[in-house]
């Protein structure tokens, strides 16, 4: 029988949640429950195939998958109760969590809760993009989880929209999966990330088109082409079989929003005070949910600092008054 | 996989009735005729049911308060409305008892409200009443303070646009009807009291044909009768769907004062707990092009915020469009042709979800008047369909759900497996979405696409992914 009470419940076993949970145990908190809706812990890095992980935490370069395995092992060793395939569906005002598992509806009451539900990319619909609505229109997150978790690819010749760092990550993922992006599109005048980054796709034969906007998606069941507006103002159609929207990160803040906590409507992050508390002070927010986007290492470090604040709150050492900060 | 008529018992068999088209009207038709004892075959040219006009609507269960008094449409709406409320519990179908407010935004519109009340009463919708702007704001504090006055229509409700027709058709199947998807009627000949129907998958024989081909109704009728009594004039409607958080801003369906062409832009909650703004009314040539347009969507967004200012702080979850099978006539074009054993059910423009059950009963009476009779099924089977509405007990809250796959819409493994099996198994991503809502939430597949692509491997006509090689 699963426990129905704990001292601290953490929602989300990404780098942020794993870090807080482990640290709380080290600080001597008795019962820490880490709730994760997926069937494995680790969050986004589970499906990050490249870019180095683990420099801060393990002083070596690890793959995303290896990194999450180590973080998870640490948490288990520290005595964190990790509950997988457990979705938090609703937050009560005093730390009552409604859960859904294969057993149906369950309840868990926590003295304090830390929401570490991460961030995601803004999908096509929320960007109000014109055109048809075929399949194979997706975000980097969907692309990478297909490639690295399921060894599948959704298409072969996608167009990549955006040029934040994650767009280059999407590009590399495509190459890894034997997909050849036909173009990378940036509405602004220059690449959003490191300017020289554009050299890589270009060298590999994928044009990086700046000052170019996506006007419409074409195709009935599958993507057939995209219509672009070039700097000259003229419209150009490029054939492709998929569209990958990258970046424009927003917090996965549904639980906090639905519970009526104050939310920053631009980043979708819960507003927090100097101690990282939401407008309901039984709840904390950490990791990429709180001001996206940070790297895994940054979320991990933030989590360690956060743990001592949560502990202080448990010990009654934080003020009752909540005042929003802009930090 | 495609339902193949040549591969099983239907080739060479004689059906009482062939229903052409499985939009909401065809689905309700199949149910009515099957329950009345007819041997029914449904033919659908698309890979899945509900792929035409029925794919995108506002999902309002209309009382018919603003229909043309005495019209066939008004009659079918009211009959459909009543039958829906009678069967909904048995079929485990939801209803969101929201009520509607027809809101006037200026003095000129306010003057028209009296006419709306009179028309409603003429349509026997007697519980309508005037609300002053003060009463309006007490009832709907989220509404813009600019609202001038309103008429309340308490029994205008919201239902589930997909589970509803799906359940009708499943009930037909479980009581003996046959459905063939991927099967387009190409031509047909009527001789000696029998129709010989040519499809892309072989010939079919039936005594009576009912044309429920929606956006293609006129083209089909030309093929079958040589000419058509109506002409389809496609009229697109685009929608914006806001996040679930927005659905708390308002209780009622907010309707504008209608004009001749359209009921206008509606703001209402959906049965799935979102908030919808739309539809537009755009005449177009294409019968299939349900594309959306960024400028129009932005205009809908602005309109939504104008009506409910707080909407500005809520994010958009989805965009979609539907195409109404409008014609040159205002009323439905339902016409029996007794000499040819043919009934045309055309031009079910913008009220078909509500009216479908009423249309089906009306058409069955026309069919009887043509001299047909059957023995009603006594103990008909009721299908067991998992509900998607927020108001009903969803699968994720029950044991043995297999865990949640689509996190935004809380769609379980069990629900997805159910949707991918059985006689109406989803065979396209769009079909799976309509049956389960997977990927239709705020992340639009960010979190669940990988899991879904694995679950759907070898199940869909157009696969979601292919293995890395
Ligand atoms: C597409 C993409 C690519 C990225 N690539 C990189 C990269 O290459 N390198 C890098 O350093 N950073 C990358 N990032 C940033 C990444 O977000 C961070 O590395 C890190 O994963 C953030 O950790 P987190 O714990 O805040 O959130 P996440 O890792 O997102 O973890 C959140 C966890 O919460 C769970 N969860 C959410 N809601 C619930 C609920 N209701 N109930 C139960 N569980 C829930 C989720 O399933 C998830 O496991 C990327 C981000 C994205 C979106
Ligand atoms: C924007 C919009 C908003 C609406 N809002 C509402 C509302 O709030 N409430 C309400 O009650 N109604 C509403 N409606 C109306 C409702 O959606 C329609 O009246 C209804 O969907 C019409 O259904 P149908 O079965 O007649 O047509 P369709 O759904 O088009 O079905 C016809 C079917 O026939 C098939 N077919 C065509 N030709 C052939 C052939 N040769 N062989 C085999 N199959 C063929 C097609 O593939 C299609 O599946 C709205 C409609 C729209 C577009």
């Amino acid at each position: 029988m699963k426990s129905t009470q704990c001292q601290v419940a953490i929602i989300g076993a990404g780098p942020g949640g794993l870090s807080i949970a482990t640290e709380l145990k080290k600080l001597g908190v008795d019962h820490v429950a880490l709730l994760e809706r997926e069937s494995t812990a680790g969050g986004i890095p589970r499906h990050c195939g490249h870019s180095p992980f683990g420099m801060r935490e393990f002083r070596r370069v690890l793959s995303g998958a290896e990194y999450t395995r180590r973080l998870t092992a640490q948490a288990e060793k520290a005595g964190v109760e990790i509950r997988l395939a457990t979705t938090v569906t609703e937050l009560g005002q005093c730390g009552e969590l409604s859960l859904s598992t294969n057993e149906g509806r369950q309840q868990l009451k926590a003295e304090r809760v830390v929401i570490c539900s991460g961030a995601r990319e803004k999908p096509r619909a929320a960007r109000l993009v014109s055109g048809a609505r075929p399949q194979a229109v997706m975000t980097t997150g969907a692309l990478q989880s297909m490639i690295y978790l399921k060894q599948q690819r959704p298409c072969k010749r996608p167009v990549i929209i955006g040029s934040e760092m994650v767009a280059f990550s999407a590009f590399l993922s495509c190459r890894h999966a034997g997909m050849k992006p036909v173009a990378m599109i940036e509405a602004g005048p220059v690449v959003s990330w490191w300017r020289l980054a554009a050299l890589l796709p270009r060298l590999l034969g994928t044009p990086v088109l700046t000052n170019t906007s996506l006007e419409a998606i074409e195709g009935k069941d599958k993507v057939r082409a995209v219509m672009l507006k070039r700097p000259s103002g003229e419209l150009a159609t490029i054939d492709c079989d998929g569209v990958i929207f990258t970046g424009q990160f927003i917090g996965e803040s549904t639980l906090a929003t639905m519970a009526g906590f104050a939310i920053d409507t631009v980043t979708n992050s819960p507003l927090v005070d100097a101690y990282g508390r939401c407008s309901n002070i039984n709840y904390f927010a950490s990791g990429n949910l709180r001001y996206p986007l940070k790297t895994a290492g940054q979320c991990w470090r933030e989590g360690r600092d956060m743990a001592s604040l949560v502990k202080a709150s448990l010990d009654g050492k934080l003020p009752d008054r909540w005042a929003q900060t802009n930090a | 996989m495609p339902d193949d008529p040549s591969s099983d018992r239907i080739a060479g068999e004689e059906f009482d009735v062939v229903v052409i088209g499985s939009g909401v009207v065809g689905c309700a038709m199949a149910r009515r005729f099957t329950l009345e004892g007819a041997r029914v075959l449904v033919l659908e040219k698309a890979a899945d049911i509900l792929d035409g006009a029925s794919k995108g609507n506002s999902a309002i269960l209309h009382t018919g308060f603003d229909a043309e008094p005495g019209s066939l449409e008004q009659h079918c709406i009211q009959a459909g409305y009543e039958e829906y409320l009678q069967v909904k519990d048995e079929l485990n179908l939801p209803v969101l008892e929201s009520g509607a407010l027809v809101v006037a935004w200026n003095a000129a519109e306010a003057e028209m409200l009296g006419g709306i009340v009179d028309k409603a009463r003429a349509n026997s919708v007697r519980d309508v009443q005037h609300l002053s702007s003060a009463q309006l704001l007490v009832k709907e504090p989220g509404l813009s303070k600019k609202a001038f006055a309103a008429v309340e229509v308490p029994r205008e409700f919201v239902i589930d646009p997909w589970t509803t027709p799906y359940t009708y058709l499943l009930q037909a199947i479980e009581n003996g009807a046959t459905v063939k998807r991927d099967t387009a009627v190409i031509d047909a000949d009527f001789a000696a009291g029998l129709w010989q129907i040519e499809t892309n998958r072989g010939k079919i024989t039936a005594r009576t044909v009912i044309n429920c081909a929606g956006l293609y109704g006129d083209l089909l009728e030309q093929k079958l009768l040589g000419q058509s009594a109506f002409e389809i004039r496609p009229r697109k409607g685009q929608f914006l769907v806001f996040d679930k958080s927005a659905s708390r801003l308002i209780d009622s369906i907010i309707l504008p004062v209608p004009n001749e062409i359209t009921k206008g832009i509606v703001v209402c909650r959906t049965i799935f707990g979102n908030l919808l703004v739309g539809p537009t009314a755009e005449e177009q040539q294409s019968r299939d092009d349900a594309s959306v347009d960024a400028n129009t969507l932005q205009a809908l967004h602005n309109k939504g915020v104008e009506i409910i200012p707080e909407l500005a702080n809520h994010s958009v979850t989805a965009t979609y469009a539907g195409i109404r099978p409008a014609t040159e006539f205002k009323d439905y074009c339902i016409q029996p042709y007794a000499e040819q054993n043919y009934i045309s059910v055309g031009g079910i423009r913008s009220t078909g979800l509500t009216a479908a059950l009423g249309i089906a009963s009306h058409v069955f009476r026309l069919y009887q008047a043509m001299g047909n009779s059957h023995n009603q099924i006594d103990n008909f089977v009721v299908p067991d369909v998992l509900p998607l509405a927020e108001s009903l007990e969803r699968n994720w809250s029950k044991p043995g759900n297999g865990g949640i796959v689509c996190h935004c819409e809380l769609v379980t493994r069990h629900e997805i497996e159910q949707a991918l099996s059985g006689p109406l198994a989803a065979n396209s991503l769009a079909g799976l979405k309509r049956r389960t809502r997977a990927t239709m939430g705020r992340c639009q597949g960010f979190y669940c696409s990988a899991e879904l692509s694995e679950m759907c491997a070898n199940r869909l006509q157009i696969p979601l992914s292919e293995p890395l090689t």
Side-chain angles (χ1 to χ4, degrees):
Chain A
M1 187 64 205
K2 291 274 166 60
S3 51
T4 53
Q5 289 196 354
C6 65
Q7 272 171 299
V8 182
I10 294 156
I11 304 172
L18 284 164
S19 156
I20 298 179
T22 307
E23 195 64 20
L24 279 169
K25 286 302 294 181
K26 289 188 183 157
L27 293 172
V29 176
D30 222 27
H31 190 171
V32 178
L34 179 55
L35 311 169
E36 170 55 53
R37 64 191 181 185
E38 300 294 344
S39 50
T40 40
I44 296 282
R46 284 176 309 138
H47 51 73
C48 290
H50 16 261
S51 70
F53 287 91
M55 303 286 272
R56 270 195 195 80
E57 305 83 333
F58 304 108
R59 308 220 171 276
R60 54 194 292 183
V61 177
L62 301 171
S63 71
E66 181 53 26
Y67 171 72
T68 60
R69 273 194 290 276
R70 289 196 181 211
L71 286 183
T72 309
Q74 273 189 345
E76 278 166 347
K77 194 162 156 241
V80 175
E81 179 195 350
I82 304 182
R83 294 203 204 170
L84 300 174
T86 301
T87 304
V88 180
T89 56
E90 208 178 333
L91 312 178
Q93 293 307 311
C94 303
E96 317 87 334
L97 306 181
S98 306
L99 313 179
S100 166
T101 70
N102 185 41
E103 276 81 58
R105 226 187 257 271
Q106 289 174 359
Q107 295 290 323
L108 177 68
K109 170 84 172 76
E111 285 170 50
R112 296 292 181 273
V113 180
V114 191
I115 317 174
C116 293
S117 47
R120 58 178 169 83
E121 296 157 294
K122 196 186 254 193
R124 178 254 172 102
R127 301 181 193 215
L128 303 186
V129 173
S130 294
R133 292 170 302 110
Q135 63 188 57
V137 173
M138 50 173 55
T139 45
T140 316
L143 172 79
Q144 292 187 331
S145 49
M146 266 191 200
I147 294 174
Y148 295 106
L149 298 180
K150 304 291 178 188
Q151 287 71 50
Q152 295 273 316
R153 68 174 158 238
C155 55
K156 284 192 172 141
R157 297 172 298 110
V159 161
I160 298 175
I161 310 297
S163 66
E164 292 174 42
M165 182 168 94
V166 67
F168 294 91
S169 203
F171 174 80
L172 291 173
S173 302
C174 286
R175 298 289 307 195
H176 169 82
M179 300 157 60
K180 185 158 188 293
V182 294
M184 229 165 134
I185 311 297
E186 168 55 51
V190 289
V191 164
S192 310
W193 191 42
W194 183 43
R195 204 180 290 205
L196 291 180
L199 286 174
L200 178 67
R202 282 186 179 135
L203 271 172
L204 292 170
T206 296
V208 179
L209 309 175
T210 52
N211 275 320
T212 301
S213 57
L214 172 64
E215 290 296 296
I217 296 173
E218 298 175 5
K220 190 171 187 300
D221 301 314
K222 290 206 81 172
V223 177
R224 194 183 56 235
V226 289
M227 206 211 282
L228 304 176
K229 193 176 199 170
R230 300 291 286 130
S232 59
E234 83 196 66
L235 296 175
T237 303
I238 343 184
D239 290 349
C240 59
D241 66 354
V243 183
I244 297 162
F245 285 93
T246 69
Q248 298 197 14
F249 290 96
I250 46 180
E252 171 71 346
S253 62
T254 306
L255 290 170
T257 307
M258 296 306 280
F261 300 175
I263 299 285
D264 174 333
T265 53
V266 176
T267 60
N268 244 15
S269 300
L271 295 174
V272 293
D273 69 2
Y275 310 101
R277 297 182 299 185
C278 299
S279 59
N280 176 325
I281 58 169
N282 296 313
Y283 289 86
F284 293 71
S286 188
N288 265 339
L289 169 66
R290 176 179 167 186
Y291 307 121
L293 185 84
K294 297 170 287 213
T295 64
Q298 289 167 328
C299 293
W300 176 81
R301 191 171 57 193
E302 180 187 290
R304 280 203 318 190
D305 300 342
M306 199 70 176
S308 43
L309 292 170
V310 177
K311 176 76 166 65
S313 172
L314 279 174
D315 296 341
K317 290 183 185 151
L318 296 190
D320 285 343
R321 233 177 67 84
W322 182 82
Q324 182 205 330
T325 62
N326 298 316
Chain B
M1 290 299 105
D3 316 288
D4 184 0
S6 57
S7 68
D8 59 25
R9 61 194 179 84
I10 81 157
E13 198 177 327
E14 205 177 289
F15 288 91
D16 294 323
V17 174
V18 163
V19 173
I20 303 175
S22 62
V24 62
V25 174
C27 292
M29 202 65 69
R31 170 180 176 274
R32 171 55 44 216
F33 277 73
T34 303
L35 298 184
E36 297 289 351
R39 292 180 37 72
V40 174
L41 171 66
V42 179
L43 300 177
E44 170 56 57
K45 70 173 177 169
D48 194 22
I49 66 169
L50 306 176
D51 198 51
S54 307
K55 153 160 84 176
N57 57 48
S58 325
I60 297 174
L61 185 70
H62 297 293
T63 54
F65 75 97
D66 58 349
E68 198 48 41
S71 63
L72 181 58
E73 180 180 25
Q74 189 256 348
H75 166 79
C76 292
I77 289 175
Q78 295 195 335
Y81 183 101
E82 273 159 36
E83 188 173 346
Y84 183 84
L85 293 186
Q86 274 162 28
V87 299
K88 74 173 177 58
D89 290 338
E90 181 176 272
L91 297 179
N92 202 19
L93 292 172
V95 61
L96 183 64
E97 299 193 353
S98 53
L101 297 169
V102 184
V103 178
W105 295 96
N106 53 48
E109 284 183 0
E111 272 183 21
M112 296 168 72
L113 293 179
I116 291 174
V117 169
D118 293 344
K119 197 176 198 181
R121 298 209 165 119
N123 283 328
S124 333
V125 181
R126 297 206 172 76
D127 53 357
V128 292
Q129 55 170 340
H130 284 282
L131 296 186
S132 66
S133 66
Q135 288 169 313
L136 194 53
L137 292 176
V138 170
K139 193 170 165 54
E140 291 294 354
L143 205 61
S144 161
K145 308 283 173 280
K146 294 190 187 125
F148 209 84
V151 167
E152 182 181 9
V153 190
R155 287 179 301 114
E156 200 83 352
F157 297 151
V158 171
I159 60 175
D160 179 335
W162 298 301
T163 311
T164 303
Y166 174 80
T167 304
Y168 296 163
L169 191 56
L170 205 57
Q171 184 168 36
I173 294 173
E174 292 189 1
N175 288 285
T178 308
V179 177
K180 292 293 157 194
R181 293 174 287 179
D182 258 325
T183 308
V185 172
I186 298 165
D187 212 339
D189 269 325
F190 182 70
L194 282 181
W195 280 97
Q196 302 296 338
I197 301 167
E198 193 191 321
T199 77
N200 57 327
R201 297 169 173 279
K203 282 214 168 15
I204 285 153
T205 308
R207 268 187 280 280
T208 300
V209 164
I210 305 178
N211 173 357
C212 300
L215 290 158
Y216 288 83
D218 56 344
L219 300 184
L220 182 70
E221 184 150 304
Q222 281 164 17
K223 292 236 176 73
L224 269 52
L225 300 186
Q227 59 180 35
S228 175
F230 59 92
E231 179 193 303
I232 293 292
R233 298 182 177 170
R235 189 181 297 159
K236 181 163 77 180
Q238 299 185 47
F239 293 90
L240 268 191
V241 181
F242 281 83
D243 192 39
K244 296 196 194 279
S245 59
S247 74
R248 296 178 178 168
L249 299 175
I250 208 105
D251 274 334
S252 316
I253 301 165
I254 307 299
L255 302 168
V257 174
N259 63 30
E260 276 298 290
I261 316 221
T262 158
K263 291 175 182 294
I265 306 293
V266 177
V267 181
C268 68
R269 291 185 286 155
T270 72
I271 200 81
F272 314 112
N274 297 79
L275 186 123
L276 142 176
V277 180
T280 55
E282 306 163 51
E283 306 274 346
Q284 63 179 34
Q285 289 297 316
S286 171
R287 296 162 193 253
D288 322 280
D289 179 7
S291 56
V292 292
D293 172 72
N295 293 326
T296 309
L297 297 173
Q298 189 57 54
L300 281 175
H301 195 282
N302 299 347
K303 185 83 192 171
V305 171
E306 206 177 294
I307 297 171
I308 305 172
E310 248 302 295
L311 258 188
N313 295 325
H314 294 260
S315 45
V316 170
T317 291
T319 64
Y320 69 98
I323 308 173
R324 306 170 185 87
T327 67
E328 68 271 48
F329 306 107
K330 271 205 82 171
D331 208 350
Y332 294 167
C333 304
I334 301 180
Q335 188 68 47
Y337 294 80
E339 284 80 63
Q340 280 119 315
N341 290 2
Y342 170 89
I343 305 176
S344 171
V345 187
I348 314 300
R349 180 174 60 158
S350 51
T351 48
L353 178 64
T354 308
L357 295 174
I359 293 171
S361 296
H362 175 73
V363 170
F364 186 74
R365 280 192 299 276
L366 297 175
Y367 172 81
Q368 283 177 312
M370 285 159 68
N372 300 295
S373 68
H374 303 284
N375 294 325
Q376 256 186 2
I377 302 185
D378 300 328
N379 288 316
F380 56 80
V381 183
V382 174
D384 187 13
V385 178
L386 297 170
L388 299 178
E390 291 252 304
S391 57
L392 298 175
E393 181 91 45
R394 289 275 312 273
N395 189 244
W396 60 262
S397 65
K398 297 187 176 164
N401 59 50
I404 291 173
V405 174
C406 165
H407 298 294
C408 302
E409 296 296 314
L410 304 179
V411 183
T412 65
R413 184 168 294 275
H414 176 66
E415 283 174 318
I416 290 166
E417 273 160 6
Q418 186 104 329
L420 289 169
S421 56
L424 274 183
N427 49 21
S428 64
L429 174 62
L432 182 67
K433 286 160 83 166
R434 288 194 282 268
R435 284 167 184 73
T436 63
R437 292 193 54 71
T439 77
M440 290 180 97
R442 48 182 84 80
C443 90
Q444 298 274 302
F446 179 99
Y447 293 110
C448 69
S449 291
E451 199 63 34
L452 273 184
S453 71
E454 184 173 70
M455 292 186 74
C456 293
N458 306 321
R459 314 285 272 279
L460 307 182
Q461 291 189 352
I462 303 175
L464 299 182
S465 60
E466 60 180 26
L468 301 187
T469 45

